[in-house]
Amino acid sequence: MNVLSAMAGINDGEFCKKFTKQGVDLITLGGFNMDVPTFKAGLENISKYDRKEFFTCPHHISEDLTEFIDVIRNYNPQWKGKISVNLRAANHEPFSLLYNNENIDILEINAHCRQAPMLEAKTGQALLSNTKVLGDMLEEVTTNSGKEISVKIRTNVEGVDTLEIVEFIESYNVDYLHVDAMNPGVDGADYDILNKICGKTGIHVIGNNSVRSHEDYLKMLDNGAESVSVARAALEGDIDHIFM
């Protein structure tokens, strides 16, 4: 699959709809803040770091997502791809807010964001160091959501054994492992860790990080990813050339 990765404050229906005509098979909306701690962290991201964030109130997220997905589907009714929603939460409880949204195909747990307010809220990348909470989330969504489940992780996080985390995630009924193969201090993906992950897990791996060209795309596939996702390159408006 060719995947549009989440970008907080950017990936709503209006932004995402055009990619239904650019070779994308899976569109990721979000990331969205699902509870009070992550919502407050999002506001702090805006005020302290001038980052884009969605202002969606957790209590209205179901309705807002329905509107975003309608925008995408109505723009290109011929597009038969999947819709994923990237979600930040501090515990397992908020995910049930979206179980009745039949137009959502995939719930993606955000174990990836690294902004200080998110880490202080014990969400995003912080979940990689707290397998109790991450496990509770995985148990909740894989048991009760009735949807496909993705987990987006970041590699090479200090104090975290990436391969152990992958093994832990695989112990649950997860459908996709979305891997930001971050290579600290390097402007490019860590293909070595991606290759090791793909060789270790039977989960469908979506490779992500610094995919800006067709060559980057092919290198992700050559190192074992079954799918590849694009994020920041999509801000330029045209990503079809990356997949072709």
Side-chain angles (χ1 to χ4, degrees):
M1 293 188 299
N2 300 330
V3 180
L4 178 67
S5 186
M7 289 184 283
I10 297 171
N11 281 30
D12 59 10
E14 194 63 33
F15 177 81
C16 292
K17 68 181 186 181
K18 59 182 172 291
F19 299 106
T20 63
K21 298 183 178 181
Q22 295 190 29
V24 171
D25 306 298
L26 192 162
I27 286 173
T28 311
L29 294 166
F32 294 102
N33 303 311
M34 293 285 289
D35 51 23
V36 172
T38 55
F39 184 72
K40 287 182 176 179
L43 294 179
E44 193 172 345
N45 274 345
I46 295 169
S47 62
K48 282 190 175 180
Y49 304 103
D50 196 28
R51 283 180 55 89
K52 293 190 178 221
E53 289 282 349
F54 287 109
F55 284 105
T56 301
C57 172
H59 295 294
H60 299 152
I61 189 169
S62 177
E63 294 84 352
D64 286 359
L65 284 172
T66 294
E67 291 181 12
F68 291 157
I69 295 170
D70 284 347
V71 167
I72 294 169
R73 297 290 185 189
N74 292 336
Y75 175 77
N76 185 3
Q78 285 73 43
W79 186 71
K80 304 304 179 187
K82 293 184 176 183
I83 300 287
S84 178
V85 183
N86 181 278
L87 304 168
R88 300 167 175 153
N91 62 68
H92 67 280
E93 295 176 357
F95 291 94
S96 62
L97 293 170
L98 301 181
Y99 290 174
N100 292 328
N101 288 63
E102 296 180 0
N103 49 12
I104 296 173
D105 301 299
I106 302 167
L107 299 180
E108 182 170 85
I109 294 174
N110 184 319
H112 167 262
C113 283
R114 58 177 174 166
Q115 299 81 34
M118 291 298 164
L119 300 182
E120 291 166 8
K122 299 181 180 179
T123 190
Q125 180 182 291
L127 294 172
L128 301 178
S129 302
N130 191 342
T131 54
K132 171 62 171 68
V133 175
L134 179 58
D136 288 344
M137 290 180 178
L138 290 168
E139 180 67 25
E140 167 63 28
V141 296
T142 57
T143 302
N144 299 316
S145 74
K147 302 182 186 302
E148 290 188 301
I149 302 301
S150 174
V151 183
K152 188 171 186 184
I153 66 170
R154 187 184 299 279
T155 64
N156 296 312
V157 174
E158 186 176 357
V160 174
D161 186 317
T162 299
L163 296 181
E164 284 187 5
I165 282 293
V166 169
E167 185 175 4
F168 176 78
I169 292 171
E170 192 171 27
S171 68
Y172 295 86
N173 190 26
V174 171
D175 301 281
Y176 305 98
L177 184 67
H178 195 168
V179 179
D180 180 345
M182 186 184 75
N183 199 357
V186 177
D187 183 21
D190 184 343
Y191 293 105
D192 181 59
I193 191 64
L194 177 66
N195 189 279
K196 288 177 180 176
I197 291 169
C198 294
K200 183 179 181 66
T201 185
I203 304 175
H204 183 121
V205 173
I206 303 171
N208 169 264
N209 188 285
S210 305
V211 180
R212 308 181 186 99
S213 68
H214 189 59
E215 290 72 24
D216 298 330
Y217 171 80
L218 292 177
K219 199 164 184 180
M220 286 282 176
L221 296 176
D222 288 344
N223 281 278
E226 293 183 66
S227 299
V228 179
S229 75
V230 173
R232 297 297 164 187
L235 295 174
E236 299 177 7
D238 180 9
I239 59 176
D240 201 33
H241 64 283
I242 294 176
F243 301 126
M244 296 296 291

